Protein backbone atom coordinates (compact mmCIF):
# COMPACT_ATOMS: atom_id res chain seq x y z
CA UNK A 1 0.00 0.00 0.00
CA UNK A 2 1.08 3.58 -0.66
CA UNK A 3 3.02 4.86 2.35
CA UNK A 4 0.95 8.06 2.74
CA UNK A 5 -2.30 6.08 2.44
CA UNK A 6 -1.11 3.70 5.15
CA UNK A 7 -0.15 6.61 7.38
CA UNK A 8 -3.49 8.36 6.82
CA UNK A 9 -5.47 5.22 7.60
CA UNK A 10 -3.33 4.77 10.72
CA UNK A 11 -4.16 8.33 11.86
CA UNK A 12 -7.90 7.78 11.42
CA UNK A 13 -7.77 4.43 13.20
CA UNK A 14 -5.73 5.86 16.08
CA UNK A 15 -8.18 8.77 16.50
CA UNK A 16 -11.23 6.50 16.14
CA UNK A 17 -13.62 6.49 19.09
CA UNK A 18 -15.91 3.83 17.67
CA UNK A 19 -18.60 5.88 15.95
CA UNK A 20 -16.79 9.21 15.78
CA UNK A 21 -13.24 10.47 15.35
CA UNK A 22 -11.17 12.85 17.44
CA UNK A 23 -9.68 15.59 15.25
CA UNK A 24 -6.37 14.79 16.96
CA UNK A 25 -5.31 12.57 19.86
CA UNK A 26 -4.70 15.22 22.55
CA UNK A 27 -5.32 18.76 21.25
CA UNK A 28 -8.94 18.05 20.21
CA UNK A 29 -10.41 15.12 22.18
CA UNK A 30 -14.11 15.60 21.25
CA UNK A 31 -16.06 15.48 17.97
CA UNK A 32 -15.98 18.65 15.87
CA UNK A 33 -18.60 19.46 13.26
CA UNK A 34 -16.78 20.27 10.05
CA UNK A 35 -13.93 17.93 10.95
CA UNK A 36 -16.51 15.12 11.08
CA UNK A 37 -17.61 15.89 7.52
CA UNK A 38 -14.07 15.79 6.12
CA UNK A 39 -13.20 12.77 8.22
CA UNK A 40 -16.22 10.89 6.88
CA UNK A 41 -14.85 11.37 3.34
CA UNK A 42 -11.61 9.76 4.51
CA UNK A 43 -13.32 6.78 6.12
CA UNK A 44 -15.41 6.30 2.96
CA UNK A 45 -12.29 5.17 1.13
CA UNK A 46 -11.75 2.09 3.27
CA UNK A 47 -14.71 1.70 5.67
CA UNK A 48 -17.93 3.09 4.16
CA UNK A 49 -20.17 2.13 7.09
CA UNK A 50 -17.79 3.90 9.45
CA UNK A 51 -18.06 7.03 7.30
CA UNK A 52 -21.82 7.01 7.73
CA UNK A 53 -21.51 6.37 11.47
CA UNK A 54 -19.37 9.52 11.74
CA UNK A 55 -22.13 11.71 10.33
CA UNK A 56 -24.90 9.95 12.26
CA UNK A 57 -22.90 10.46 15.40
CA UNK A 58 -22.47 14.18 14.79
CA UNK A 59 -26.15 14.69 14.01
CA UNK A 60 -27.06 13.16 17.39
CA UNK A 61 -26.00 16.54 18.72
CA UNK A 62 -28.27 18.56 16.41
CA UNK A 63 -30.46 21.02 18.30
CA UNK A 64 -34.24 21.04 17.89
CA UNK A 65 -34.06 24.29 15.91
CA UNK A 66 -31.73 22.65 13.34
CA UNK A 67 -28.35 23.98 14.53
CA UNK A 68 -25.51 21.48 14.23
CA UNK A 69 -23.08 22.31 17.03
CA UNK A 70 -19.37 22.93 16.62
CA UNK A 71 -18.50 20.34 19.30
CA UNK A 72 -20.19 17.17 20.54
CA UNK A 73 -18.42 16.48 23.83
CA UNK A 74 -17.17 13.06 24.91
CA UNK A 75 -18.20 12.72 28.55
CA UNK A 76 -15.42 10.23 29.22
CA UNK A 77 -12.65 12.75 28.49
CA UNK A 78 -11.00 14.19 31.61
CA UNK A 79 -12.47 17.56 32.59
CA UNK A 80 -9.95 20.23 31.69
CA UNK A 81 -8.38 18.24 28.86
CA UNK A 82 -10.01 20.72 26.48
CA UNK A 83 -11.26 24.23 27.21
CA UNK A 84 -13.79 25.64 27.18
CA UNK A 85 -15.34 22.49 28.61
CA UNK A 86 -19.01 21.60 28.18
CA UNK A 87 -20.19 23.31 31.37
CA UNK A 88 -18.85 26.69 30.24
CA UNK A 89 -21.25 26.63 27.31
CA UNK A 90 -24.33 26.21 29.54
CA UNK A 91 -26.25 24.45 26.77
CA UNK A 92 -28.19 22.00 28.97
CA UNK A 93 -31.81 22.13 27.89
CA UNK A 94 -30.80 23.16 24.38
CA UNK A 95 -28.79 20.09 23.37
CA UNK A 96 -30.71 16.87 22.76
CA UNK A 97 -31.18 14.77 25.91
CA UNK A 98 -28.11 12.75 26.77
CA UNK A 99 -25.80 14.66 24.43
CA UNK A 100 -23.47 17.49 25.48
CA UNK A 101 -22.61 20.13 22.92
CA UNK A 102 -21.18 23.61 22.56
CA UNK A 103 -23.55 26.42 21.56
CA UNK A 104 -22.13 27.64 18.25
CA UNK A 105 -21.73 26.09 14.78
CA UNK A 106 -19.17 25.61 12.01
CA UNK A 107 -19.23 25.65 8.18
CA UNK A 108 -21.77 23.16 6.74
CA UNK A 109 -19.53 20.81 4.78
CA UNK A 110 -21.77 17.85 5.65
CA UNK A 111 -23.95 17.68 2.53
CA UNK A 112 -20.84 18.05 0.38
CA UNK A 113 -19.29 15.15 2.29
CA UNK A 114 -22.33 12.90 1.94
CA UNK A 115 -22.51 13.68 -1.77
CA UNK A 116 -18.87 12.74 -2.15
CA UNK A 117 -19.24 9.59 -0.05
CA UNK A 118 -21.96 8.45 -2.44
CA UNK A 119 -19.67 9.09 -5.43
CA UNK A 120 -16.85 7.16 -3.73
CA UNK A 121 -19.21 4.25 -3.00
CA UNK A 122 -20.56 4.26 -6.56
CA UNK A 123 -17.03 4.10 -7.96
CA UNK A 124 -16.23 1.04 -5.81
CA UNK A 125 -18.93 -1.00 -7.58
CA UNK A 126 -19.19 -3.31 -4.55
CA UNK A 127 -22.77 -2.68 -3.51
CA UNK A 128 -21.99 -0.21 -0.71
CA UNK A 129 -23.88 2.51 -2.53
CA UNK A 130 -27.17 1.06 -1.25
CA UNK A 131 -26.11 1.60 2.37
CA UNK A 132 -24.99 5.12 1.53
CA UNK A 133 -28.31 5.89 -0.13
CA UNK A 134 -30.19 4.56 2.89
CA UNK A 135 -28.12 6.90 5.08
CA UNK A 136 -28.86 9.79 2.73
CA UNK A 137 -32.59 9.13 3.08
CA UNK A 138 -32.19 9.02 6.86
CA UNK A 139 -29.97 12.11 7.18
CA UNK A 140 -31.61 14.26 4.52
CA UNK A 141 -34.30 15.77 6.83
CA UNK A 142 -31.62 16.65 9.37
CA UNK A 143 -29.42 18.25 6.72
CA UNK A 144 -32.40 20.15 5.34
CA UNK A 145 -33.29 21.56 8.77
CA UNK A 146 -29.62 22.48 9.38
CA UNK A 147 -29.48 24.45 6.12
CA UNK A 148 -32.88 26.03 6.79
CA UNK A 149 -31.63 27.20 10.19
CA UNK A 150 -28.54 28.78 8.61
CA UNK A 151 -30.62 30.54 5.97
CA UNK A 152 -33.03 31.94 8.57
CA UNK A 153 -31.56 32.19 12.07
CA UNK A 154 -28.20 33.34 10.65
CA UNK A 155 -29.61 35.40 7.78
CA UNK A 156 -32.80 36.99 9.11
CA UNK A 157 -32.80 39.72 6.43
CA UNK A 158 -32.49 37.29 3.53
CA UNK A 159 -29.20 38.86 2.37
CA UNK A 160 -27.88 35.45 1.40
CA UNK A 161 -24.94 35.90 3.80
CA UNK A 162 -24.40 33.87 6.96
CA UNK A 163 -23.59 35.84 10.12
CA UNK A 164 -21.10 34.28 12.52
CA UNK A 165 -21.14 35.17 16.21
CA UNK A 166 -17.71 33.80 17.10
CA UNK A 167 -14.40 33.34 15.24
CA UNK A 168 -14.67 29.63 16.13
CA UNK A 169 -17.79 29.46 13.97
CA UNK A 170 -15.78 30.42 10.90
CA UNK A 171 -13.39 27.51 11.50
CA UNK A 172 -10.51 29.92 10.73
CA UNK A 173 -10.23 30.96 14.34
CA UNK A 174 -7.44 33.54 14.59
CA UNK A 175 -7.51 34.67 10.96
CA UNK A 176 -6.61 38.36 10.59
CA UNK A 177 -10.15 38.67 9.21
CA UNK A 178 -11.38 38.87 12.79
CA UNK A 179 -8.69 41.13 14.30
CA UNK A 180 -10.49 44.46 14.28
CA UNK A 181 -13.87 43.08 15.26
CA UNK A 182 -12.32 41.07 18.08
CA UNK A 183 -10.25 44.03 19.30
CA UNK A 184 -13.46 46.02 19.62
CA UNK A 185 -15.01 43.46 21.99
CA UNK A 186 -14.95 44.72 25.59
CA UNK A 187 -13.16 41.93 27.47
CA UNK A 188 -14.94 40.31 30.39
CA UNK A 189 -11.98 39.65 32.72
CA UNK A 190 -13.95 36.90 34.48
CA UNK A 191 -14.40 35.03 31.23
CA UNK A 192 -10.79 33.81 30.90
CA UNK A 193 -9.96 30.11 31.18
CA UNK A 194 -6.93 27.78 31.27
CA UNK A 195 -5.07 26.93 28.03
CA UNK A 196 -4.54 23.14 27.85
CA UNK A 197 -4.10 23.53 24.08
CA UNK A 198 -0.68 25.15 24.55
CA UNK A 199 0.97 21.99 25.88
CA UNK A 200 0.05 19.97 22.79
CA UNK A 201 2.00 22.00 20.22
CA UNK A 202 5.76 22.36 19.83
CA UNK A 203 5.59 26.14 20.24
CA UNK A 204 2.72 28.17 21.78
CA UNK A 205 3.25 30.75 18.98
CA UNK A 206 1.48 28.24 16.71
CA UNK A 207 -1.75 28.81 18.67
CA UNK A 208 -3.94 31.91 19.28
CA UNK A 209 -2.72 34.36 21.94
CA UNK A 210 -4.05 34.66 25.50
CA UNK A 211 -5.63 37.97 24.57
CA UNK A 212 -7.51 36.28 21.73
CA UNK A 213 -8.63 33.54 24.11
CA UNK A 214 -9.96 36.11 26.62
CA UNK A 215 -12.06 37.55 23.82
CA UNK A 216 -13.18 34.08 22.67
CA UNK A 217 -14.36 33.36 26.23
CA UNK A 218 -16.03 36.77 26.46
CA UNK A 219 -18.03 35.98 23.34
CA UNK A 220 -19.07 32.59 24.71
CA UNK A 221 -20.29 34.30 27.85
CA UNK A 222 -22.24 36.85 25.82
CA UNK A 223 -24.00 34.10 23.86
CA UNK A 224 -24.82 32.27 27.09
CA UNK A 225 -26.25 35.50 28.55
CA UNK A 226 -28.34 35.97 25.41
CA UNK A 227 -29.67 32.43 25.81
CA UNK A 228 -28.33 31.52 22.33
CA UNK A 229 -31.36 33.34 20.95
CA UNK A 230 -30.35 34.31 17.38
CA UNK A 231 -32.64 37.35 17.27
CA UNK A 232 -31.21 38.67 20.51
CA UNK A 233 -27.68 37.97 19.27
CA UNK A 234 -28.31 39.82 16.00
CA UNK A 235 -29.28 42.85 18.13
CA UNK A 236 -26.93 42.75 21.07
CA UNK A 237 -23.98 40.37 20.60
CA UNK A 238 -20.71 42.31 20.17
CA UNK A 239 -19.29 40.12 17.35
CA UNK A 240 -21.41 39.81 14.20
CA UNK A 241 -19.67 39.20 10.91
CA UNK A 242 -21.13 38.28 7.53
CA UNK A 243 -18.67 35.48 6.69
CA UNK A 244 -18.05 34.97 2.97
CA UNK A 245 -16.24 31.64 3.29
CA UNK A 246 -18.96 30.14 5.48
CA UNK A 247 -21.56 31.45 3.02
CA UNK A 248 -19.67 29.94 0.08
CA UNK A 249 -19.56 26.53 1.75
CA UNK A 250 -23.30 26.83 2.37
CA UNK A 251 -23.98 27.66 -1.30
CA UNK A 252 -21.97 24.65 -2.48
CA UNK A 253 -23.60 22.48 0.18
CA UNK A 254 -27.08 23.65 -0.90
CA UNK A 255 -26.29 22.43 -4.40
CA UNK A 256 -25.10 19.11 -3.00
CA UNK A 257 -28.25 18.90 -0.89
CA UNK A 258 -30.39 19.42 -3.99
CA UNK A 259 -28.85 16.25 -5.44
CA UNK A 260 -29.23 14.40 -2.16
CA UNK A 261 -32.92 15.36 -2.05
CA UNK A 262 -33.47 13.33 -5.22
CA UNK A 263 -31.73 10.31 -3.69
CA UNK A 264 -33.80 10.76 -0.53
CA UNK A 265 -37.03 10.63 -2.53
CA UNK A 266 -37.67 14.37 -2.16
CA UNK A 267 -37.48 15.71 -5.74
CA UNK A 268 -40.02 18.34 -4.69
CA UNK A 269 -37.34 19.92 -2.47
CA UNK A 270 -34.70 20.32 -5.19
CA UNK A 271 -35.77 23.75 -6.43
CA UNK A 272 -35.82 25.16 -2.91
CA UNK A 273 -32.22 24.14 -2.31
CA UNK A 274 -31.15 25.62 -5.66
CA UNK A 275 -32.93 28.89 -4.78
CA UNK A 276 -31.08 28.95 -1.45
CA UNK A 277 -27.75 28.35 -3.21
CA UNK A 278 -28.43 31.18 -5.65
CA UNK A 279 -29.40 33.52 -2.83
CA UNK A 280 -26.11 32.77 -1.06
CA UNK A 281 -24.22 33.41 -4.32
CA UNK A 282 -26.02 36.74 -4.71
CA UNK A 283 -24.98 37.58 -1.16
CA UNK A 284 -21.38 36.90 -2.18
CA UNK A 285 -21.83 39.09 -5.27
CA UNK A 286 -22.64 41.97 -2.94
CA UNK A 287 -19.30 41.35 -1.15
CA UNK A 288 -17.24 41.20 -4.35
CA UNK A 289 -14.51 43.85 -4.66
CA UNK A 290 -13.20 43.83 -8.23
CA UNK A 291 -10.27 46.09 -7.31
CA UNK A 292 -9.12 43.42 -4.83
CA UNK A 293 -10.27 40.45 -6.92
CA UNK A 294 -11.72 39.09 -3.68
CA UNK A 295 -14.87 38.74 -1.64
CA UNK A 296 -14.67 40.60 1.67
CA UNK A 297 -16.45 39.82 4.92
CA UNK A 298 -18.65 42.52 6.39
CA UNK A 299 -18.37 43.60 10.02
CA UNK A 300 -22.02 44.16 10.89
CA UNK A 301 -21.25 45.79 14.25
CA UNK A 302 -18.83 48.40 12.88
CA UNK A 303 -20.64 48.48 9.53
CA UNK A 304 -17.50 48.16 7.44
CA UNK A 305 -15.66 45.77 5.12
CA UNK A 306 -12.98 43.49 6.50
CA UNK A 307 -9.88 44.22 4.46
CA UNK A 308 -7.51 41.40 5.43
CA UNK A 309 -6.32 39.46 2.38
CA UNK A 310 -6.92 35.78 3.12
CA UNK A 311 -8.07 32.55 1.48
CA UNK A 312 -11.64 33.58 2.34
CA UNK A 313 -11.42 36.00 -0.58
CA UNK A 314 -11.71 32.98 -2.90
CA UNK A 315 -15.22 32.30 -1.62
CA UNK A 316 -16.84 32.58 -5.10
CA UNK A 317 -14.62 29.74 -6.36
CA UNK A 318 -16.11 27.47 -3.71
CA UNK A 319 -19.68 28.74 -4.12
CA UNK A 320 -19.52 28.63 -7.91
CA UNK A 321 -19.44 31.80 -10.02
CA UNK A 322 -19.32 32.97 -13.62
CA UNK A 323 -16.40 32.15 -15.83
CA UNK A 324 -14.72 35.57 -15.78
CA UNK A 325 -14.67 35.71 -12.01
CA UNK A 326 -13.53 32.10 -11.78
CA UNK A 327 -10.63 32.72 -14.15
CA UNK A 328 -9.61 35.90 -12.34
CA UNK A 329 -9.72 34.13 -8.98
CA UNK A 330 -7.89 31.08 -10.29
CA UNK A 331 -5.10 33.33 -11.61
CA UNK A 332 -4.88 35.09 -8.24
CA UNK A 333 -4.87 31.78 -6.37
CA UNK A 334 -1.93 30.58 -8.47
CA UNK A 335 -0.28 34.00 -8.31
CA UNK A 336 2.40 35.69 -6.16
CA UNK A 337 0.25 36.45 -3.10
CA UNK A 338 -0.93 32.87 -2.63
CA UNK A 339 0.12 29.49 -4.10
CA UNK A 340 2.60 31.05 -6.52
CA UNK A 341 4.36 33.19 -3.92
CA UNK A 342 8.14 33.17 -4.42
CA UNK A 343 9.94 30.99 -1.90
CA UNK A 344 7.00 28.77 -0.89
CA UNK A 345 8.04 25.19 -0.15
CA UNK A 346 4.93 23.80 -1.85
CA UNK A 347 2.61 25.54 -4.30
CA UNK A 348 -0.46 25.49 -2.04
CA UNK A 349 -2.19 28.63 -0.75
CA UNK A 350 -1.17 30.07 2.62
CA UNK A 351 -4.18 30.96 4.79
CA UNK A 352 -3.25 34.65 4.63
CA UNK A 353 -1.69 36.33 1.58
CA UNK A 354 2.10 36.48 1.96
CA UNK A 355 2.04 40.23 1.27
CA UNK A 356 -0.69 41.01 3.81
CA UNK A 357 0.81 42.86 6.81
CA UNK A 358 -0.75 40.29 9.16
CA UNK A 359 0.86 37.29 7.42
CA UNK A 360 2.55 35.09 10.01
CA UNK A 361 3.86 31.76 8.64
CA UNK A 362 3.81 29.99 12.03
CA UNK A 363 0.59 31.10 13.65
CA UNK A 364 -2.36 28.83 13.02
CA UNK A 365 -4.81 30.54 10.61
CA UNK A 366 -2.64 33.63 10.07
CA UNK A 367 -0.39 32.19 7.34
CA UNK A 368 0.22 28.43 7.50
CA UNK A 369 -1.18 26.25 4.74
CA UNK A 370 -4.13 24.05 5.69
CA UNK A 371 -4.75 20.88 3.66
CA UNK A 372 -8.53 21.06 4.24
CA UNK A 373 -8.72 24.53 2.73
CA UNK A 374 -6.63 23.40 -0.22
CA UNK A 375 -9.03 20.45 -0.54
CA UNK A 376 -12.09 22.75 -0.69
CA UNK A 377 -10.47 24.85 -3.40
CA UNK A 378 -9.30 21.78 -5.31
CA UNK A 379 -12.74 20.18 -5.08
CA UNK A 380 -14.48 23.33 -6.34
CA UNK A 381 -12.02 23.89 -9.18
CA UNK A 382 -12.40 20.30 -10.28
CA UNK A 383 -16.23 20.53 -10.05
CA UNK A 384 -16.17 23.59 -12.31
CA UNK A 385 -13.82 22.17 -14.93
CA UNK A 386 -10.60 23.98 -13.91
CA UNK A 387 -8.76 20.67 -14.00
CA UNK A 388 -5.28 22.08 -14.68
CA UNK A 389 -5.08 24.23 -11.55
CA UNK A 390 -6.99 21.61 -9.52
CA UNK A 391 -4.48 18.94 -10.43
CA UNK A 392 -1.52 21.26 -9.77
CA UNK A 393 -2.89 21.97 -6.28
CA UNK A 394 -3.53 18.30 -5.60
CA UNK A 395 -0.04 17.28 -6.70
CA UNK A 396 1.62 19.94 -4.53
CA UNK A 397 -0.62 19.12 -1.57
CA UNK A 398 0.18 15.42 -1.79
CA UNK A 399 3.90 16.19 -2.06
CA UNK A 400 3.60 18.31 1.08
CA UNK A 401 1.84 15.50 2.96
CA UNK A 402 4.38 12.92 1.81
CA UNK A 403 7.13 15.11 3.23
CA UNK A 404 5.46 16.30 6.43
CA UNK A 405 2.85 13.68 7.27
CA UNK A 406 -0.75 14.30 8.34
CA UNK A 407 -0.06 17.46 10.35
CA UNK A 408 -2.75 19.99 11.14
CA UNK A 409 -1.07 22.80 9.17
CA UNK A 410 2.33 23.64 7.70
CA UNK A 411 4.77 26.53 7.50
CA UNK A 412 4.34 27.76 3.93
CA UNK A 413 7.98 28.67 3.42
CA UNK A 414 9.93 25.93 5.20
CA UNK A 415 7.22 23.25 4.80
CA UNK A 416 7.65 22.35 8.49
CA UNK A 417 4.61 20.51 9.87
CA UNK A 418 2.87 22.57 12.59
CA UNK A 419 0.11 22.10 15.18
CA UNK A 420 -1.04 18.57 15.84
CA UNK A 421 1.03 15.92 14.06
CA UNK A 422 -1.79 13.40 13.58
CA UNK A 423 -4.77 15.42 12.43
CA UNK A 424 -7.76 13.41 11.25
CA UNK A 425 -9.07 15.75 8.58
CA UNK A 426 -5.61 16.02 7.03
CA UNK A 427 -5.48 12.22 6.86
CA UNK A 428 -8.95 12.21 5.30
CA UNK A 429 -8.13 14.63 2.51
CA UNK A 430 -4.87 12.76 1.88
CA UNK A 431 -6.89 9.60 1.18
CA UNK A 432 -9.30 11.48 -1.06
CA UNK A 433 -6.46 13.06 -3.03
CA UNK A 434 -4.62 9.77 -3.44
CA UNK A 435 -7.80 8.17 -4.76
CA UNK A 436 -8.41 11.11 -7.11
CA UNK A 437 -4.82 10.71 -8.30
CA UNK A 438 -5.45 7.09 -9.15
CA UNK A 439 -8.55 8.11 -11.10
CA UNK A 440 -6.57 10.85 -12.86
CA UNK A 441 -3.83 8.37 -13.77
CA UNK A 442 -6.49 5.94 -15.11
CA UNK A 443 -7.98 8.70 -17.29
CA UNK A 444 -4.56 9.74 -18.58
CA UNK A 445 -3.65 6.12 -19.32
CA UNK A 446 -6.98 5.54 -21.11
CA UNK A 447 -6.47 8.69 -23.18
CA UNK A 448 -2.95 7.56 -24.06
CA UNK A 449 -4.26 4.13 -25.09
CA UNK A 450 -6.92 5.80 -27.28
CA UNK A 451 -4.33 8.09 -28.77
CA UNK A 452 -6.43 11.09 -27.62
C1 LIG B 1 -9.63 24.52 15.60
O1 LIG B 1 -10.56 25.15 16.46
C2 LIG B 1 -10.80 24.75 17.82
C3 LIG B 1 -12.05 25.51 18.28
O2 LIG B 1 -13.14 25.12 17.47
C4 LIG B 1 -9.65 25.08 18.74
O3 LIG B 1 -8.68 25.73 18.32
O4 LIG B 1 -9.71 24.65 19.89
C5 LIG B 1 -9.94 25.06 14.19
O5 LIG B 1 -8.89 24.74 13.31
C6 LIG B 1 -11.25 24.51 13.70
O6 LIG B 1 -11.50 24.90 12.38
C7 LIG B 1 -11.26 22.98 13.81
O7 LIG B 1 -12.54 22.50 13.47
C8 LIG B 1 -10.89 22.51 15.21
C9 LIG B 1 -10.69 21.00 15.31
O8 LIG B 1 -9.81 20.56 14.30
O9 LIG B 1 -9.68 23.13 15.64
Amino acid sequence: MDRLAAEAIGVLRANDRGTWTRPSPRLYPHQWSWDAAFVAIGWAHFAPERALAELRSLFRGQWADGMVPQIVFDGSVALGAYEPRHRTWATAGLCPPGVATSGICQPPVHAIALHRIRAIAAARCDGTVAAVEAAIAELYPRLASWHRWLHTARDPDGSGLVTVFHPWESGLDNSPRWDEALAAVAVDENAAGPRPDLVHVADPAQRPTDDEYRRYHTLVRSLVDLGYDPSAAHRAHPFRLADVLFTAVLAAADDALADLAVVAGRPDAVDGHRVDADLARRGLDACWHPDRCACLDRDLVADRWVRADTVAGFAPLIAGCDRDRREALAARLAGPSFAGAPGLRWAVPPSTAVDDPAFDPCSYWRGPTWPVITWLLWWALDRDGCHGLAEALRTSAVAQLRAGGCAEYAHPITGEPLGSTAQSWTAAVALDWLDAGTAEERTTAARAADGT
Side-chain angles (χ1 to χ4, degrees):
M1 186 192 278
D2 178 278
R3 191 185 53 78
L4 176 59
E7 178 184 342
I9 290 172
V11 167
L12 289 182
R13 289 209 190 282
N15 288 336
D16 185 11
R17 304 287 289 156
T19 56
W20 61 275
T21 313
R22 290 178 294 216
S24 71
R26 285 170 294 279
L27 188 54
Y28 309 115
H30 306 286
Q31 188 181 34
W32 261 257
S33 172
W34 74 327
D35 296 63
F38 287 111
V39 158
I41 295 173
W43 281 112
H45 286 288
F46 63 103
E49 280 293 349
R50 181 61 188 74
L52 302 171
E54 188 76 33
L55 292 172
R56 286 192 178 104
S57 195
L58 177 74
F59 275 87
R60 276 185 319 124
Q62 185 173 28
W63 289 16
D65 60 5
M67 203 265 290
V68 174
Q70 163 227 18
I71 299 177
V72 177
F73 287 94
D74 174 2
S76 72
V77 169
L79 280 181
Y82 180 83
E83 298 285 357
R85 64 188 67 182
H86 172 231
R87 220 176 43 157
T88 310
W89 291 95
T91 53
L94 291 163
C95 338
V99 188
T101 77
S102 69
I104 56 171
C105 63
Q106 280 190 320
V109 193
H110 317 89
I112 296 173
L114 201 48
H115 196 275
R116 190 151 189 89
I117 290 166
R118 179 167 181 262
I120 294 165
R124 291 161 72 98
C125 300
D126 63 357
T128 47
V129 76
V132 175
E133 292 187 345
I136 291 171
E138 174 196 329
L139 287 170
Y140 170 78
R142 287 179 170 273
L143 285 162
S145 81
W146 164 219
H147 285 214
R148 178 76 7 247
W149 181 83
L150 287 169
H151 280 292
T152 52
R154 291 311 181 88
D155 180 19
D157 301 332
S159 68
L161 297 165
V162 175
T163 298
V164 293
F165 293 143
H166 199 296
W168 285 336
E169 296 205 296
S170 73
L172 277 61
D173 305 359
N174 72 339
S175 170
R177 297 160 72 196
W178 316 130
D179 286 358
E180 285 185 26
L182 209 53
V185 171
V187 175
D188 175 346
E189 293 299 339
N190 298 321
R195 297 286 310 273
D197 58 310
L198 295 181
V199 302
H200 301 309
V201 287
D203 178 352
Q206 294 171 19
R207 294 283 304 170
T209 63
D210 283 348
D211 182 60
E212 280 160 338
Y213 255 78
R214 267 192 292 277
R215 291 166 199 278
Y216 296 161
H217 279 275
T218 298
L219 294 176
V220 171
R221 186 163 284 202
S222 164
L223 290 168
V224 171
D225 291 346
L226 293 166
Y228 295 105
D229 173 359
S231 321
H234 282 293
R235 282 193 305 273
H237 188 57
F239 185 95
R240 305 191 304 273
L241 273 294
D243 177 336
V244 292
L245 187 59
F246 197 125
T247 300
V249 171
L250 179 58
D254 281 328
D255 283 333
L257 193 56
D259 291 347
L260 297 180
V262 176
V263 178
R266 289 294 312 277
D268 55 300
V270 170
D271 287 351
H273 298 312
R274 299 268 180 229
V275 167
D276 286 344
D278 287 341
L279 177 65
R281 281 188 275 268
R282 281 204 300 282
L284 293 178
D285 285 346
C287 299
W288 176 247
H289 287 65
D291 52 323
R292 307 273 306 254
C293 188
C295 256
L296 299 183
D297 306 297
R298 181 100 192 149
D299 184 335
L300 302 173
V301 175
D303 196 21
R304 65 177 169 223
W305 296 109
V306 175
R307 303 219 160 255
D309 193 6
T310 73
V311 277
F314 297 105
L317 275 185
I318 292 168
C321 57
D322 66 39
R323 187 172 164 173
D324 286 352
R325 191 166 298 177
R326 186 163 63 241
E327 286 179 355
L329 281 167
R332 186 149 198 272
L333 179 60
S337 295
F338 286 95
L344 286 198
R345 180 71 186 89
W346 311 105
V348 287
S351 41
T352 298
V354 294
D355 43 8
D356 188 280
F359 172 73
D360 176 341
C362 298
S363 173
Y364 208 36
W365 290 99
R366 302 181 74 81
T369 60
W370 284 74
V372 279
I373 296 295
T374 306
W375 185 93
L376 274 174
L377 291 164
W378 163 79
W379 169 81
L381 288 165
D382 196 56
R383 173 199 64 197
D384 292 340
C386 300
H387 301 301
L389 179 55
E391 185 53 14
L393 282 182
R394 190 191 69 81
T395 309
S396 300
V398 169
Q400 177 186 30
L401 297 176
R402 286 200 189 286
C406 296
E408 191 180 5
Y409 43 99
H411 191 299
I413 297 158
T414 64
E416 181 197 353
L418 301 173
S420 152
T421 49
Q423 189 77 7
S424 297
W425 65 6
T426 307
V429 298
L431 289 168
D432 203 49
W433 275 326
L434 290 171
D435 186 67
T438 315
E440 174 81 15
E441 279 152 25
R442 274 198 300 267
T443 312
T444 313
R447 282 199 192 120
D450 289 352
T452 55

